[in-house]
Amino acid sequence: MQLVIVESPAKAKTINKYLGSSYEVLASFGHVRDLPARDGSVDPAQDFAMAWEVSADRSKQLAAIREAAKRADSVILATDPDREGEAISWHLLEWLKDKRALPKGGASRVTFNEITKAAVTKAMQAPRDLDQPLIDAYLARRALDYLVGFTLSPVLWRKLPGAKSAGRVQSVALRLVVEREREIEAHKAREYWRVEAEMIAPNGATFKARLAVLDGKKLAQFDLDNAAANAAREAIEKNGFTVRTVETKPVSRNPAPPFTTSTLQQEASRRLGFSASHTMRVAQNLYEDGHITYMRTDGVQIAGEAMAAVRDMIARDYGSKPDVLPEKPRFYATKAKNAQEAHEAIRPTDFSRRPGRADTDADRLYALIWNRTVASQMASARLERTTIDLFDDDGRHGLKATGQVVITPGFLVLYTEGRDEPAEDDEDGARLPRLAGGDRCASKTVEAIQSFTEPPARFSEATLVKKLEELGIGRPSTYASTLQTLRDRAYVRVEKNRFFAEEKGRLVTAFLERFFTRYVEYDFTAGLENQLDDVSAGDASYLELLRAFWADFQPKTAEIMEQRPSDVTAALDEYLAPFLFPDKGDGVDPRVCPKCGAGRLSLKTGRFGAFVACSNYPECKYTRPFASEGGANDGPQELGNDPVTGEAISVRTGRFGRFVQRGEGEKPARASIPKDVSITGPEDIEWAIKLLNLPRTIGPHPETGEPITASIGRYGPYLAHNGAYGRLSNTAEVFETGMNAAVVKLAEAAAAKANGGRPQRGVATALAELGAHPESGAAVRVLAGRYGPYITDGTTNANVPKGAEPTAVTLDEAIALLAARAAAGPSKKGKKAPAKKAAPKKAAAKKPAAKKKAPAKKKAE
């Protein structure tokens, strides 16, 4: 018998179907060892020796692997085909050797890029040794991350109150977000005007054109002011226009290559609204179920047999004409430095498995992957871009109209790549009437439009991942966890899918830029990634890399650790002066306190982080948040008036963050803005009013008659009733939870409290209240059970489909799942349960005999 070890139970289950009875397949449940989170786990004095520790939650699984290994003739390590997979195989092999549990047949390594019978069978016929250069690259990366984190983080804790951690890639990603925030704050909006006209063609069709020439001069963006724009508008309204030139230019647009890890994360963010981490979870399930190839890859090429299958499918379903299917297959080149990191692109394993109804996140992501892969082998789209120039009779004023017509759609019939930002004044998609030189056109309406230059947009997950990849920072497989760490540390917040730099994040970035400049430079971090690639390609020594890094990094951290916190704050005050106290051009010292007029402002650090304060404290108690650089956010931002009281509602920033306020006076109504609520302008006044009107009364409890209220407290959103409390999962639930759901949540909270603070066994947490069953009238809910989320009406339970978002299940979907489960009858597993319970008694009876035999075995050895 041969023991096959993979990472996940789902993968083990799928592979087990393809292998015969001579194989036993077990899962390691991911990494089995890691560096303990304590000093000394990596010892530079011992040439970076690493002290690995078995994860506590893996001991049971490792015991099963050890017992299976004793029965096996050999071990086959079949973990994922990348650096992390190679590392897991290495850890397993080292652990088996350490426990003297490696079979006489030894261990071998197999990899497959897709979990299909053909791929798995072929891999089993071609075992190899572990890839030592790839393991060395993993060791180097893990040691670097540990050394940076466990050396730099204590410096932050002691010198910068409120800071939590720093990381090799994490800190550079944070710097990108913070720098974008600075660019936005430094932006000075500049006014410009444009003139647009709706014109009437000779055949009566209308089209849009814009003013391009004024008084014989070609216009630039800022050439028009208010007066000139309105004068031009009047001139266009009075004059007729003649078509001078019609220029038609053929354009070809090529399909995008199949997905890599990063492009999948970007496109899933744009098109589906998925976070990078959610995209990877869904893709992992699709891979383990055998639907797609491995989802961590830098490669854009697909296998020859897959390419042939795609082309056959295109010819069969879309036609074989050259404007649909190119004469030759399309080949795409990868940018990855070494082939080990650049597997096949992410593609379906079976193209005949077409996307079906987009009922779940897995369905939607699979459809995206299927469409992109098939489109990548289709013909280019042929378009025609037309530009029309029109002039008045004097030739002084000229209008320009542009449009685009699709001649043959090619791949566009199936897939169009998403865009990060909508292009301003994008006229290429406009349809134009057929016009010829000399045609007369009249104006229907003419507008002078005022606009202002916009600051650069904040990063979305898609644009941040794209930027990190462009700079060569980190690796696509780590982007999801890196961005999640920034959120977990409260260095950034995400509103409307945009990253906002929080005060803590800005301060940490400033500290690192001032004292550890080299280690947050984009070129340095990218260069380190290139060196790691050299290690994985076998062209460099990982120990030499670590020695060179540590020789510079360790003395620098020691130097900063010796500085007093007050000296660090003073240095940061000087470094941040251009941001905190910008020259306003009026000759007034920007550091003069606006309250007392005598003291000077400077950066201070306290228990709750950094802030700006007056030097005349305690006589003058003026302060402002650190994040409001240059005082840009000092004043309140008016949202509008309360429709009931008529009082002004504003957004303000205080010592503990942003809040909304109604009215003025000594004790105006105030409410903190939760992190999962976005209030950025007048369009969000309804949210402000809701927060200010808390607590919300849901109604009287059906048993006690006492009111149930929902509100937000120090520890988050909650329900209250007669001195009892129940936790809510998010702010939206404060305003949406109904009576039935509130009663259930309070009952569950009471049961948990009675059980010593633990959830009562058998009482699951409600994830969603879907409504009443149309037949029985029973409440249909989604609950979080011990083995995963499930749907129940109190009588029948049905699992939430794999890959589906539990809170996104609709009532109709739930009823259908419950009906299917009820029709299937009782679970077979349930019938066997009593037999399983009896097994331990037999085992217990044998234990004394086993203990007596053990000493005899030891003597024989």
Side-chain angles (χ1 to χ4, degrees):
M1 186 270 291
Q2 295 189 80
L3 173 63
V4 180
I5 307 176
V6 296
E7 291 100 328
S8 74
K11 188 175 176 182
K13 184 178 179 181
T14 306
I15 292 172
N16 200 43
K17 294 186 297 186
Y18 304 143
L19 300 176
S21 58
S22 58
Y23 293 87
E24 183 177 356
V25 186
L26 293 179
S28 71
F29 289 85
H31 273 283
V32 296
R33 301 194 307 181
D34 200 1
L35 296 172
R38 58 173 180 260
D39 287 339
S41 293
V42 177
D43 189 355
Q46 298 297 320
D47 213 10
F48 303 96
M50 301 183 201
W52 301 101
E53 187 176 85
V54 172
S55 304
D57 57 349
R58 297 290 183 270
S59 56
K60 184 177 179 181
Q61 193 61 21
L62 284 174
I65 290 174
R66 184 179 182 181
E67 289 303 312
K70 290 178 180 178
R71 301 190 299 269
D73 298 317
S74 66
V75 172
I76 299 174
L77 302 166
T79 50
D80 288 343
D82 62 359
R83 185 183 58 245
E84 287 302 308
E86 206 74 16
I88 293 172
S89 286
W90 175 78
H91 277 298
L92 285 164
L93 180 59
E94 292 296 303
W95 182 84
L96 287 168
K97 288 178 179 177
D98 185 58
K99 297 298 179 183
R100 297 182 180 179
L102 191 65
K104 291 182 179 179
S108 58
R109 175 85 166 107
V110 301
T111 58
F112 31 83
N113 196 47
E114 58 186 76
I115 305 178
T116 60
K117 186 171 184 178
V120 172
T121 304
K122 183 178 179 181
M124 292 298 171
Q125 295 170 356
R128 62 169 174 82
D129 292 332
L130 277 98
D131 188 318
Q132 192 58 46
L134 211 54
I135 295 165
D136 288 347
Y138 160 78
L139 294 173
R141 192 177 297 272
R142 193 69 192 86
L144 282 172
D145 290 341
Y146 173 91
L147 291 171
V148 172
F150 273 80
T151 308
L152 195 50
S153 293
V155 178
L156 283 173
W157 302 335
R158 297 178 189 179
K159 310 302 178 184
L160 211 60
K164 293 185 177 180
S165 71
R168 184 177 59 86
V169 177
Q170 162 199 325
S171 298
V172 182
L174 176 61
R175 184 186 177 192
L176 282 170
V177 177
V178 171
E179 285 191 338
R180 180 58 56 88
E181 201 76 33
R182 291 172 182 166
E183 290 175 38
I184 292 169
E185 290 176 350
H187 174 76
K188 304 294 183 185
R190 186 175 175 185
E191 181 188 42
Y192 66 96
W193 288 76
R194 66 185 191 275
V195 179
E196 292 186 353
E198 187 175 10
M199 306 297 291
I200 305 173
N203 64 359
T206 60
F207 62 98
K208 288 191 174 182
R210 58 182 172 80
L211 181 66
V213 177
L214 179 65
D215 289 328
K217 178 189 174 185
K218 188 176 180 181
L219 288 175
Q221 183 179 11
F222 299 106
D223 283 352
L224 292 180
D225 57 18
N226 188 354
N230 280 289
R233 175 182 57 78
E234 292 174 2
I236 294 171
E237 288 174 335
K238 293 176 183 177
N239 295 321
F241 281 76
T242 302
V243 175
R244 180 179 290 184
T245 60
V246 178
E247 181 182 352
T248 301
K249 186 178 180 181
V251 178
S252 180
R253 188 185 301 174
N254 297 322
F259 282 127
T260 62
T261 303
S262 65
T263 56
L264 178 64
Q265 290 172 358
Q266 293 168 44
E267 195 72 341
S269 174
R270 298 184 195 111
R271 302 281 289 269
L272 306 177
F274 290 1
S275 67
S277 55
H278 184 61
T279 297
M280 296 310 290
R281 281 195 298 271
V282 176
Q284 179 86 35
N285 291 335
L286 288 171
Y287 166 68
E288 291 179 352
D289 289 341
H291 296 325
I292 64 170
T293 53
Y294 192 54
M295 67 287 162
R296 290 187 176 90
T297 175
D298 292 332
V300 291
Q301 70 280 1
I302 62 176
E305 60 270 20
M307 192 178 293
V310 173
R311 289 176 60 82
D312 288 344
M313 195 273 300
I314 294 171
R316 183 174 62 254
D317 293 359
Y318 298 94
S320 56
K321 292 182 180 179
D323 59 1
V324 175
L325 182 66
E327 186 178 332
K328 295 180 179 179
R330 291 184 179 276
F331 294 94
Y332 298 92
T334 182
K335 296 179 182 178
K337 282 188 66 174
N338 74 76
Q340 295 284 2
E341 301 271 353
H343 305 289
E344 253 195 286
I346 304 168
R347 63 164 175 84
T349 56
D350 181 359
F351 289 95
S352 66
R353 188 188 292 115
R354 283 178 156 276
R357 289 177 54 192
D359 293 332
T360 66
D361 287 352
D363 294 336
R364 289 187 278 275
L365 191 66
Y366 180 76
L368 196 66
I369 293 168
W370 193 94
N371 290 337
R372 171 94 162 211
T373 309
V374 175
S376 73
Q377 286 300 316
M378 295 180 76
S380 301
R382 289 177 52 235
L383 308 103
E384 193 173 76
R385 185 169 294 148
T386 302
T387 303
I388 300 173
D389 290 317
L390 308 94
F391 281 84
D392 60 9
D393 295 337
D394 296 334
R396 295 174 56 223
H397 298 86
L399 302 175
K400 185 182 292 290
T402 58
Q404 189 168 271
V405 177
V406 176
I407 306 302
T408 57
F411 74 93
L412 293 177
V413 299
L414 192 61
Y415 185 84
T416 305
E417 192 170 19
R419 298 169 69 167
D420 292 319
E421 305 293 343
E424 185 181 352
D425 306 327
D426 186 2
E427 299 171 337
D428 282 348
R431 296 298 297 266
L432 296 176
R434 190 169 294 281
L435 293 170
D439 284 347
R440 293 285 292 177
C441 300
S443 62
K444 183 179 179 182
T445 58
V446 186
E447 288 184 291
I449 301 170
Q450 181 190 36
S451 299
F452 293 90
T453 55
E454 295 284 341
R458 287 183 173 87
F459 286 111
S460 64
E461 280 223 352
T463 55
L464 186 52
V465 166
K466 184 177 181 181
K467 188 67 176 178
L468 288 168
E469 187 177 37
E470 287 174 355
L471 293 171
I473 294 168
R475 280 295 173 260
S477 59
T478 64
Y479 290 155
S481 59
T482 297
L483 301 189
Q484 188 59 48
T485 299
L486 295 182
R487 292 190 191 94
D488 294 343
R489 298 286 185 267
Y491 288 163
V492 301
R493 72 179 189 277
V494 179
E495 292 183 8
K496 298 177 181 177
N497 197 31
R498 297 287 173 174
F499 283 91
F500 289 72
E502 293 282 37
E503 184 174 297
K504 288 179 182 177
R506 298 170 71 126
L507 190 61
V508 166
T509 296
F511 176 83
L512 295 175
E513 287 175 331
R514 171 61 179 81
F515 295 104
F516 294 91
T517 309
R518 184 184 183 198
Y519 303 101
V520 288
E521 286 178 349
Y522 303 131
D523 289 346
F524 174 79
T525 308
L528 204 54
E529 289 292 350
N530 289 333
Q531 292 179 57
L532 288 167
D533 283 344
D534 290 338
V535 172
S536 64
D539 297 331
S541 162
Y542 86 94
L543 287 175
E544 288 298 326
L545 186 157
L546 292 175
R547 290 167 192 151
F549 174 84
W550 189 246
D552 287 332
F553 185 70
Q554 194 276 333
K556 186 65 178 176
T557 54
E559 174 194 334
I560 304 306
M561 188 64 90
E562 291 176 1
Q563 294 193 25
R564 294 180 301 177
S566 58
D567 293 336
V568 170
T569 302
L572 285 175
D573 177 78
E574 180 182 354
Y575 176 75
L576 289 169
F579 303 106
L580 294 173
F581 316 108
D583 187 349
K584 297 178 181 178
D586 55 6
V588 178
D589 183 355
R591 285 185 180 262
V592 171
C593 176
K595 187 173 182 179
C596 70
R600 298 189 81 248
L601 302 179
S602 62
L603 182 70
K604 304 290 184 183
T605 55
R607 183 179 171 190
F608 299 101
F611 59 96
V612 173
C614 177
S615 59
N616 279 346
Y617 180 85
E619 288 76 15
C620 177
K621 296 183 179 179
Y622 173 83
T623 63
R624 76 168 188 242
F626 160 78
S628 58
E629 295 177 354
N633 300 321
D634 283 353
Q637 178 188 0
E638 298 292 336
L639 299 179
N641 295 326
D642 189 302
V644 177
T645 67
E647 294 175 295
I649 294 178
S650 57
V651 179
R652 303 173 184 234
T653 303
R655 182 180 180 185
F656 301 105
R658 300 173 74 239
F659 64 93
V660 289
Q661 177 173 312
R662 178 167 51 212
E664 298 291 344
E666 289 187 11
K667 293 185 177 180
R670 291 176 175 174
S672 296
I673 300 175
K675 291 194 179 295
D676 60 347
V677 171
S678 172
I679 298 182
T680 57
E683 68 275 9
D684 301 313
I685 190 170
E686 288 186 13
W687 263 111
I689 293 170
K690 284 182 178 180
L691 293 170
L692 288 164
N693 289 339
L694 289 176
R696 165 186 168 242
T697 300
I698 297 173
H701 194 288
E703 295 177 4
T704 67
E706 295 293 324
I708 299 176
T709 60
S711 192
I712 302 171
R714 182 179 179 186
Y715 301 106
Y718 67 94
L719 295 168
H721 164 253
N722 208 20
Y725 300 91
R727 183 169 293 181
L728 296 173
S729 59
N730 55 58
T731 302
E733 285 193 353
V734 174
F735 305 103
E736 296 170 359
T737 300
M739 178 58 69
N740 290 340
V743 170
V744 170
K745 288 178 183 292
L746 287 166
E748 289 171 351
K753 186 176 180 180
N755 196 33
R758 298 180 298 275
Q760 189 179 27
R761 192 177 292 258
V763 177
T765 303
L767 300 176
E769 300 289 336
L770 304 182
H773 196 291
E775 295 177 5
S776 66
V780 179
R781 299 184 292 160
V782 181
L783 303 181
R786 185 179 179 188
Y787 300 105
Y790 66 96
I791 300 159
T792 184
D793 62 355
T795 303
T796 304
N797 296 339
N799 291 332
V800 172
K802 192 171 184 180
E805 187 66 34
T807 57
V809 176
T810 66
L811 179 59
D812 290 341
E813 291 170 341
I815 292 168
L817 290 166
L818 289 169
R821 183 67 191 86
S827 171
K828 293 180 180 179
K829 292 180 180 178
K831 293 179 180 178
K832 292 182 180 179
K836 288 182 180 178
K837 287 179 182 177
K841 292 182 180 179
K842 294 179 182 179
K846 290 180 180 180
K847 277 183 181 178
K851 286 179 182 177
K852 290 177 182 178
K853 290 179 181 179
K857 284 185 179 179
K858 287 180 181 177
K859 289 176 182 177
E861 288 174 359

